[in-house]
Amino acid sequence: MEQQVTDQSKNYKVIGSRPVRHDGEDKVTGRAQYGADVSFRDQLWGAVLRSPHAHAKIKSIDTSAALAMPGVKAIITGADMPKLDDKTTRSVEGIENQRYMVERVMAGDKALFKGHPIAAVAATDRFLAEEAANAIKVEYEVLPAVINPVDALKPDAPLVLGEISSVTLGEKSRKETNLVSQTRFEQGNVDEAFSTAEIIVEREFDTKTVHQGYIEPHNATALYRSDGQVTIWTSTQGGFPNREGTAAILQVPLSKVKVVPMEIGGGFGGKIPVYLEPVAAVLSRATGHPVKLIMSRADEFQSSGPASSTHIKVKVGAKKDGTLVAADSQLVYEGGCYPNVYAATGAMCIYSPYKLENARVDAFDVLTNTPKVAAYRAPSAPQAMFAMESCLDEIAQQLEMDPLEFRLMNAVDEGDRRVDGMKFPRIGFKETLQAAMNSDHYKSAPPSGPCQGRGTSVGFWFNAGMSSSATVAMNLDGTASVVTGSVDIGGQRASLAMIAAEVLGLRADEVRPSVADTDSVGHTDVTGGSRTTYATGTAVHKAAEAVKAELFKRAAKLWDVPVEEVVFDDGAFHHKGASKGDDIKPMTTRQLGQKLARTGGPVSASASVNANRGVGAGFGVHIADVEVDPETGKTTILRYTAVQDVGTAIHPSYVEGQIQGGVVQGIGWALNEEYVHDDQGRMVNTGFLDYRMPTMYDVPNIETIIVEVPNPGHPFGVRGVGETPIVPPLGTIHNAIARATGVRLRSLPMSPPKVVKALQEQGVAAQLVAAST
Amino acid sequence: MEQQVTDQSKNYKVIGSRPVRHDGEDKVTGRAQYGADVSFRDQLWGAVLRSPHAHAKIKSIDTSAALAMPGVKAIITGADMPKLDDKTTRSVEGIENQRYMVERVMAGDKALFKGHPIAAVAATDRFLAEEAANAIKVEYEVLPAVINPVDALKPDAPLVLGEISSVTLGEKSRKETNLVSQTRFEQGNVDEAFSTAEIIVEREFDTKTVHQGYIEPHNATALYRSDGQVTIWTSTQGGFPNREGTAAILQVPLSKVKVVPMEIGGGFGGKIPVYLEPVAAVLSRATGHPVKLIMSRADEFQSSGPASSTHIKVKVGAKKDGTLVAADSQLVYEGGCYPNVYAATGAMCIYSPYKLENARVDAFDVLTNTPKVAAYRAPSAPQAMFAMESCLDEIAQQLEMDPLEFRLMNAVDEGDRRVDGMKFPRIGFKETLQAAMNSDHYKSAPPSGPCQGRGTSVGFWFNAGMSSSATVAMNLDGTASVVTGSVDIGGQRASLAMIAAEVLGLRADEVRPSVADTDSVGHTDVTGGSRTTYATGTAVHKAAEAVKAELFKRAAKLWDVPVEEVVFDDGAFHHKGASKGDDIKPMTTRQLGQKLARTGGPVSASASVNANRGVGAGFGVHIADVEVDPETGKTTILRYTAVQDVGTAIHPSYVEGQIQGGVVQGIGWALNEEYVHDDQGRMVNTGFLDYRMPTMYDVPNIETIIVEVPNPGHPFGVRGVGETPIVPPLGTIHNAIARATGVRLRSLPMSPPKVVKALQEQGVAAQLVAAST
């Protein structure tokens, strides 16, 4: 089922193998410690009171009754949070206004979304804390709310923040608007090019707010000592960025805060922002006890950061031979209640797979009375590319071209420029398209029953670089350890240990990987952006090479030969030189390692890298066969294949797992997931029964084909894997439904009632039902 | 009260200051996690059945009744331990036979001392485990035992191990003896030199077995996973050596074992050996659960490693002008039941403070039916130097010379050789003697009441080097972190953070130190041998300098100037060069640190060092005024001053604390502490009520004078502090009692009954009582 298209010229010993992961047993036996497992004898539980209104002025908060309850130790409101100014700062989440950072975790004078934290309680047990939170009396003046970003751009729309900081807008003045960011990328002469087009498709698309849906909710336990030192135990995608966000809100130096990243039960971008950590810290400071907070599932939906709903217009022109000539798009993205720059990311992706010398895209980030949106796996790309890929499929259909052939004709290659000006290094898009076209799935005939069809789509993600650190140390028996600051979400312990093992000539199980807290290794950015095996892997590689350089010296010292005469080959150090005869026996790393104590002491090395330069983009091509039930509107996925260039697959099992996981999330986005709001802007489907994610009954086995076109920017060719696979499923399923039913919905999710309605509106429902029965 | 004799030429900003320790609040509030605090939901408790006999053959072990008890999950005996051969290996404890390593933690076919582990139980609670251990039926054949090392050398003595491994003896054959090691150091012509002596003193001395008496007992919790990975949580002086000892016994690679060193409640050398860890691991393997073991106080006395009892002969000759001409000594040390080389260490110290061109010392390590002795603060030096210093005091008395003047006359200096051949680099012994002679205490008249007197003595310890590793990383706000593998016993977090802070131009509280587990930093030897601030400090210094070198480059990049034009002065980077004008403003480390992300990414560095070469020896000179109650024999210490060259005092408060702590332990050794055995070789005083350590009521405030003669082998001149101060008190108190009563006991401890008996035997008791009343 799983296939791999690999460059076999590199003779790796460890890379590309599938060893058992180091953290496997702890995870399957339940010994792994997640944030919720943190517990102290004198620990208090916190609970957060959240706004029931999507937009309201907070007129007064009366905590007296709650505070009087026995066992309630402290109650805090926005007034108890550190006072920060309007200074703008850059964080991993983009441009941030410091005041907004604080008010996001505890409201100021307004509640900006349903679920906005209003007050927090610390009490002796969890249920008491919740009861006390409910006993807090808040007087609100309810204000009109706006949820949809298109509505929010209307002149008479309620203003979410009122006056927007000029700094955020990059302008000299301040103005009253919900539009916080507007980005245009353009190349060539778009209008002129459209006049040469022989076929033009221009369409509008809608997508709904969706949530990452990680199984483990946000959690944080904080201990704020009287000497000013704070420790935070939390499930986060990055201990260091979490520390930076928390320290910025608490206004203390980083040296006073230690973040211990616990094991994490899914993040997908949603566990980058800081929500509970500063609240737990302020409650701990107030009480002298460790304070623990855990979100409920409703909290997660209403108060963490989902992905933007969007309204997207795409216009594409082509020649009759299939050559694309021009594109023009407008992307309107829901931003939630604080400034964001997610629409621009969508704009960076929308045209990237294609040679388009004349292209323009305008991206609009819009404030709404919803929680500030956050990253969600290839943030902003799925929505934009869904729109583009639907238009392309329609063009291919109109031109009666094979949709993948059509894309291959227009595919970008090394040296081509993206609309945002970036130039591609060596990429594997064409190889990926070819692998898809050569796949068993694509070569077999499409399903031909009634309401059955095959869809395809392409996905692009640029992947991230950012900063990472690692320490590699030899043990005195020649085994080694690898320390990184990268939280292990998708198998990083295994992949990073394998990189060190490959360099050092050890087996994967001879290298012991660990995830360090913020006291124990150099600064490392989030596990996200598909960057960990690439960027932290680069740091591990650099540190391991430094260790190996010292091992060369030790071998030379032991043999009393010049270091230039020591070579490493086939897992062992050899003497190849003129200074001595050939009677020097090779030493494996294990053997040499055991002699370190006597040749100058132990060996260790650290490396910190900024990996922005060597980033290699990832392309995916997906194929889905579906069958639509025209009576119920339910779509069944008959077969699904995902093909992706990952550069080099360090541990192919985890690469396949990432691809399969991304596809399943994309299917949820395509078919079922959406935030539903009532007429006052309040989300109503705040649980997994009403917010419908795919289960194992909803998806077939996802077939994967790994394509390996090594990234020249990484010593072992790694590109990054995790995000690209969520991008194509939206278009793939959409195009499959279009081919199966003849109807293009252009609106997600394509849930059963929407499909039925669309079929009825198009007047094809009765005919399809008749054919199916 | 506390004084310091310091070289002020170095203009340190952080070194020499007294910041609050980073781990202070956690330790005073009880939040610090010690080994006993480790707890898991599915944890089992272990208990060890120990031999009631000092020497016995184990004929059979019947575990059936114990195993049948509900809640008992596993019982192991020596038969369940890994089988190791007789291979000899070198460990931190010296020469070790692998079979002995295993049998020390779980007896083979013989019990070799009272308290020798015979079997171990894992059960659902602690008391059940103990009950089950007591329900194990063991049939012994009791053998004759030998406790005293002098008795053990007699031809008809019981043989502790029978045939001694020839490898241990360094000989080709095997022989039946209890003498396991014999070391001679000799220089000059001793016999000829004695013929030129004008005064010769030749005496014999006895000391008893004493225990380190740390408050926290040994403990270990182990989890042995089915995939072969083992985690050990334990209070140990070194996570890495603990891992090496445990892995050697379990016969697994180091990459499979992680030791998490918990906070430690005292060690003093006694928490270097591995006792409970492999037992907990084998019980965990047998049950699949984490298993926790904690020693009782009786276990500690009977089954851990105390310091040797000794019998020492010293012969010293001098000229009438006080010049020492020759010395000859024989040191017989109790070794316990397995081979040891502690007597040789005593031999390396005994003459070291003095120029003695003609000297000889023979050291004998002897097997006895007692637990294998272990390191105890300046291991073996207190006993040997007590004997030497008593003889020297007697010579000074006979020559009517000031005892410190006499020592100064004969004091070693840079370039002099020790009897073991080592040559002294720059040392501060003379400065220390002079500081003692200039002290307020020594300049004030000795106490002149009845039975009052003043004693002095000198102490030497060579201090250790060994290997250490450290990682230093900059935070993105310009603060920093320091990671080391050195367990924090005496304030290492503070002293190591201060070293990094001094290099980087930060405050101590801007550097966050942490003690890493064995997965998280390079190999590091024990916290012991007074080596941590010296050797791990050297690693921290090296890593911090590497970080600073990168900071220079970043400043140059920011200013666009050659790196040679960047200078660091007064906590800030400055531009001093021709390439640009003088308008470049200096940047503090904090300011530059905040620009790292934008100048190439984060900065971190690791260093591993073998610090054996730069070790600087430590000398101490102590002065005590005492009063002896001739009726009860009780000695009261009226005033006590300890003077010591520490090289450079990084954090003077902790230096003073180490000196005071060493003195108090030495006073216990001098006046009260001893193992008492019954006629069958069984220790009988196995609790703190009967084994009498000094309490706060027994000692005055210990006055300290820190002398700072920088060690040229350390970048900041550190020598090491912790061990030297336990050496002089034995001789100091002994010589004070001699001066107070006219009687030299030459036998420790000088407990009240022994003092009374000695006064009576010397016929001075009645006369002294009369004078006192």
Side-chain angles (χ1 to χ4, degrees), chain A residues 22 25-26 31 42 225-227 229 243 254-255 288 467 475-477 483 512 519 523 602 604 606 608, chain B residues 22 25-26 31 42 225-227 229 243 254-255 288 467 475-477 483 512 519 523 602 604 606 608:
Chain A
H22 303 74
E25 170 152 341
D26 276 357
R31 290 206 185 280
D42 66 336
R225 295 173 186 79
S226 63
D227 67 359
Q229 295 190 87
R243 177 173 70 160
L254 295 178
S255 59
S467 294
N475 296 321
L476 294 191
D477 67 349
V483 189
R512 192 169 179 101
D519 277 359
H523 174 87
S604 63
S606 287
S608 290
Chain B
H22 303 72
E25 170 152 340
D26 275 356
R31 290 206 186 279
D42 66 335
R225 296 173 184 80
S226 63
D227 67 0
Q229 295 190 88
R243 177 173 70 159
L254 295 178
S255 59
S467 294
N475 296 322
L476 293 191
D477 68 350
V483 189
R512 190 166 180 102
D519 277 0
H523 174 87
S604 64
S606 288
S608 290

Side-chain angles (χ1 to χ4, degrees), chain B residues 531-544:
Chain B
R531 61 174 289 280
T532 308
T533 301
Y534 160 68
T536 308
T538 300
V540 169
H541 183 272
K542 194 174 168 189

Side-chain angles (χ1 to χ4, degrees), chain A residues 53 70 91 108 118 162 295 348 358 391 397 436 481 603 627 705:
Chain A
H53 306 295
S91 81
I118 304 296
M295 283 195 188
M348 287 162 71
N358 303 289
C391 292
Q397 220 171 3
S481 65
V603 176
E627 175 173 344
I705 298 174

